[in-house]
Amino acid sequence: MALKDTEVKKDKIKSLDHIILSCAGFMGEVVTNKAEAVAGDDYSFRLNLISRAVNPVILENVQWLSQPESVNRELSKDSLITIEHKIQIPADAALTEPYWLAKPPTNSGVFSVPNDTLIGLPEAESPLNVLLGLKIGSEKFQVKLPLSFKKLDPVRGDVVEALRIVPALELKFTQPLYVVKENEDLHLSLNVKVNSSKQFSKGILNLMYNGERIGSTDVNSLNGKDSTIDYVIPKTKLAAIHSSRLQMDANFVADGGTYNKKQVLIQYPHLPSLQYFTPATVTVMKGDIQTKVKKWGI
């Protein structure tokens, strides 16, 4: 009985192709030694292929993201074939985050997932893939290989994880809370981490409160990958804000881009790395805060 549902038919054919390739002993991966990448930058990748089938497997072509290449090469039986290629990450590549954290939550107890087909999956499929055109006998197959990071761990052996896309520049306050007394200036420090290979020669650091800029400074150069910027908000500006507790935001504008996020990276030995991003914010407490506790215990 022929399947009439087009989507079901495609899914079944895809499953059969996967079974045939598994029976052929085919293994493929596209890996780099960098765990993180920035949209728009170039990275060196290795395409590793192995076929253990008796019947020859022909690699006809490779689609390196947006760059097609004709190969027409037979994979030697039970032998590793490595093809090195430099790949540019698309400029519009989205930051790598869990699909349930990519959008603001509906409320405090419900995540926002625009694509309900993802619900229940441990992670979404990688949007960055190299496509292989294979031929076994007279049948042709298309194989999708995600861009991945690979390292050799002395205990765990080969560790392969999805390539994580990070912003070109990360911004965060050096501490989550500042306490300032009345009639005193507020001294802030922000950490700037440059992930991109390009240089940020000039930029503007803005400090915001309730959507309005309360301070800014020109940054003519960033020394190295990590830099700390100190800034002082005068007491006159603080006095004009009639609140004892305020939340400030920061952003860095450079080369036509605005950067206002910091990375939160969670890593366990038995789980894949998980990253997400939060805004560069800080809480400021104003007033004469005193500690009168003499004894304390745990």
Side-chain angles (χ1 to χ4, degrees), residues 1-276:
M1 181 179 177
L3 290 174
K4 295 182 180 180
D5 191 317
T6 305
E7 293 303 320
V8 172
K9 186 176 181 179
K10 287 182 179 179
D11 184 63
K12 294 299 182 182
I13 292 176
K14 182 179 178 181
S15 298
L16 287 173
D17 287 348
H18 181 74
I19 293 172
I20 293 172
L21 290 172
S22 297
C23 292
F26 174 81
M27 187 284 296
E29 61 182 8
V30 182
V31 296
T32 182
N33 59 357
K34 303 288 186 181
E36 301 175 344
V38 175
D41 285 4
D42 295 331
Y43 299 89
S44 296
F45 284 84
R46 303 187 312 277
L47 170 61
N48 296 326
L49 301 173
I50 295 178
S51 173
R52 297 180 174 88
V54 176
N55 296 325
V57 177
I58 308 297
L59 175 63
E60 293 190 321
N61 55 74
V62 181
Q63 181 82 20
W64 306 97
L65 297 188
S66 59
Q67 301 176 350
E69 179 183 358
S70 179
V71 180
N72 288 322
R73 179 176 177 179
E74 181 177 335
L75 304 184
S76 302
K77 182 184 177 182
D78 209 14
S79 297
L80 174 65
I81 293 178
T82 299
I83 301 175
E84 297 187 357
H85 194 85
K86 183 162 286 190
I87 297 177
Q88 183 182 46
I89 307 299
D92 59 350
L95 300 179
T96 302
E97 292 183 286
Y99 63 84
W100 61 90
L101 295 178
K103 300 291 183 182
T106 305
N107 54 56
S108 59
V110 180
F111 294 113
S112 177
V113 182
N115 184 0
D116 58 5
T117 61
L118 296 175
I119 295 177
L121 297 178
E123 57 186 1
E125 288 188 5
S126 172
L128 303 175
N129 298 279
V130 169
L131 299 179
L132 306 182
L134 300 178
K135 186 177 181 181
I136 303 177
S138 60
E139 297 295 326
K140 295 188 177 183
F141 302 86
Q142 189 175 68
V143 179
K144 183 189 297 184
L145 301 177
L147 300 186
S148 304
F149 157 66
K150 186 176 184 178
K151 68 175 182 179
L152 180 60
D153 186 271
V155 176
R156 301 162 61 194
D158 283 335
V159 178
V160 181
E161 294 185 352
L163 182 70
R164 292 184 276 111
I165 306 300
V166 297
L169 184 145
E170 294 176 38
L171 182 66
K172 68 176 181 179
F173 289 89
T174 56
Q175 60 190 65
L177 174 68
Y178 286 89
V179 179
V180 59
K181 294 182 179 180
E182 298 288 349
N183 299 318
E184 287 188 1
D185 297 335
L186 174 60
H187 296 262
L188 299 170
S189 295
L190 295 101
N191 177 257
V192 179
K193 179 184 177 185
V194 179
N195 296 317
S196 176
S197 58
K198 69 177 182 179
Q199 297 293 323
F200 290 90
S201 57
K202 187 176 181 180
I204 301 175
L205 175 65
N206 297 310
L207 294 174
M208 314 291 292
Y209 173 68
N210 278 350
E212 296 183 1
R213 186 169 63 179
I214 60 173
S216 66
T217 182
D218 292 333
V219 180
N220 294 324
S221 63
L222 296 174
N223 298 322
K225 291 292 184 180
D226 288 276
S227 303
T228 300
I229 302 173
D230 298 319
Y231 189 79
V232 179
I233 298 179
K235 57 186 177 182
T236 53
K237 286 192 175 182
L238 289 176
I241 301 175
H242 303 292
S243 176
S244 61
R245 180 187 178 98
L246 52 147
Q247 180 173 292
M248 292 186 180
D249 306 302
N251 64 65
F252 189 88
V253 180
D255 298 337
T258 300
Y259 307 94
N260 60 355
K261 293 184 177 182
K262 63 178 180 179
Q263 180 198 55
V264 179
L265 182 61
I266 302 174
Q267 292 181 308
Y268 291 99
H270 61 291
L271 294 173
S273 300
L274 185 147
Q275 76 171 15
Y276 62 95

